Amino acid sequence: MEENKYKWVETGDWSVCYMEEIESTNDVAKNFAKCGNKDHTAIVANCQTAGRGRLGRSFLSERGSGIYMSLLLRPDILPVEASMMTLLAGLAVRKAVLELVGLDTQIKWPNDIVCGGRKLCGILTEMAAKPQGIEYVIVGIGLNVCQKHFQDELCKVATSLYMETGRMFERVEIIDKILKCFDEYFQIFLKTHDMSLLKDEYNMAMVNFGKEVCIHRADENYLAVAQGINTAGELLVEHKGVPEKVVSGEVSIRGVYGYV
Ligand code: BTN
């Protein structure tokens, strides 16, 4: 790719690479990681032509409408701890939106931020590990900011900061705030290498805490009552009176009557 397609900006501990259009910032971040780029590099695109979500879904990334950003991290943590980076990113987005926009959002474990029952942000975490430990973690964040409406199947489940407030926001300010908040939560996480110190805050923000949810796995669907996360970041549920732990991997959680 030509050099003039990139613009690098330093903010706090982060080197942020702004791009106009790319297939997926997660893929660019992976390539950067393979080329040796350092920890705390963020890739931001104004538009993604092949934005990806969890479980093989796509993520609509219209030009100039949202924040499409991937964090390249090389944390000194165990591979089993990597999934908690999604939870830290969720807390960081929630805090940034609360403090900058004044909107009190909720978290749908493990990777969505919701407002008024609709999805405002999705997070896709990917990792490469070697026997010695983590090589890199990519935390991809897609936050709907300026969209005035959504079409087709997204119309009932998606929202944006504009749709919630009637106001437009400078995406760069939100990006800076998310990066700062992520660092704050990551420092807290590092004290225990788990969610011990953040579990209560996370559970208070969880949209389906105490509610019946439908758990979808490749081979089964069942109803259970969500009871918050444990210190490992797993979702605790009660299924037919029996407590169970749900690991984020290949599972999706839906409300009994719809998205939440
Ligand atoms: C989901 O909703 O399942 C996760 C969506 C994650 C979307 C973000 S946008 C920036 C980064 N690049 C991608 O291709 N995906 C993530």
Side-chain angles (χ1 to χ4, degrees):
M1 188 165 303
E2 302 124 53
E3 212 173 314
N4 64 11
K5 285 200 173 173
Y6 298 73
K7 180 181 155 206
W8 285 95
V9 174
E10 302 295 316
T11 175
D13 290 340
W14 291 88
S15 299
V16 186
C17 179
Y18 285 91
M19 298 177 160
E20 178 53 35
E21 178 179 305
I22 207 74
E23 288 185 358
S24 157
T25 55
N26 265 35
D27 293 344
V28 175
K30 263 186 225 170
N31 287 336
F32 275 28
K34 287 176 194 157
C35 292
N37 280 63
K38 62 181 173 65
D39 173 62
H40 272 66
T41 299
I43 320 298
V44 179
N46 196 33
C47 163
Q48 291 186 121
T49 54
R52 295 189 285 110
R54 280 178 77 234
L55 308 173
R57 298 180 186 132
S58 60
F59 187 83
L60 182 69
S61 313
E62 291 168 326
R63 190 178 307 280
S65 293
I67 291 173
Y68 317 118
M69 166 163 80
S70 297
L71 316 183
L72 160 54
L73 305 166
R74 297 188 188 276
D76 195 5
I77 63 175
L78 297 171
V80 288
E81 296 165 2
S83 64
M84 285 183 267
M85 298 303 105
T86 305
L87 309 188
L88 303 185
L91 285 168
V93 171
R94 180 180 134 74
K95 188 170 186 193
V97 167
L98 182 63
E99 293 187 358
L100 275 183
V101 177
L103 205 57
D104 197 6
T105 59
Q106 293 175 296
I107 303 178
K108 180 170 167 290
W109 181 93
N111 70 311
D112 289 353
I113 308 299
V114 304
C115 191
R118 289 164 188 249
K119 178 164 169 166
L120 182 67
C121 172
I123 298 165
L124 173 66
T125 298
E126 298 176 292
M127 172 187 75
K130 287 186 172 159
Q132 316 81 281
I134 285 182
E135 197 182 337
Y136 60 82
V137 179
I138 308 294
V139 181
I141 299 171
L143 173 63
N144 300 327
V145 181
C146 308
Q147 289 91 339
K148 295 193 168 149
H149 53 261
F150 289 93
Q151 286 178 337
D152 305 325
E153 74 274 15
L154 285 183
C155 159
K156 287 203 183 91
V157 293
T159 191
S160 70
L161 295 180
Y162 176 79
M163 287 161 71
E164 294 300 322
T165 63
R167 289 182 285 143
M168 285 293 180
F169 298 92
E170 284 296 333
R171 285 173 295 161
V172 68
E173 283 177 25
I174 303 173
I175 288 166
D176 283 1
K177 186 76 175 172
I178 292 172
L179 296 175
K180 195 163 161 278
C181 291
F182 182 85
D183 280 342
E184 286 169 14
Y185 284 115
F186 185 66
Q187 288 311 315
I188 297 172
F189 166 86
L190 275 185
K191 290 182 186 171
T192 57
H193 281 249
D194 66 17
M195 295 299 284
S196 300
L197 302 171
L198 295 167
K199 183 169 71 98
D200 290 349
E201 181 176 341
Y202 193 93
N203 286 338
M204 295 251 293
M206 190 185 279
V207 69
N208 30 30
F209 189 94
K211 293 192 186 150
E212 191 161 53
V213 292
C214 190
I215 298 171
H216 297 265
R217 281 209 191 86
D219 51 347
E220 56 175 353
N221 292 340
Y222 59 95
L223 294 177
V225 178
Q227 296 183 321
I229 58 162
N230 61 11
T231 56
E234 298 156 338
L235 181 67
L236 301 173
V237 298
E238 194 175 282
H239 173 49
K240 293 184 178 163
V242 179
E244 273 183 23
K245 290 179 205 163
V246 181
V247 181
S248 62
E250 290 298 305
V251 72
S252 91
I253 307 288
R254 309 286 294 186
V256 177
Y257 300 109
Y259 167 65
V260 287

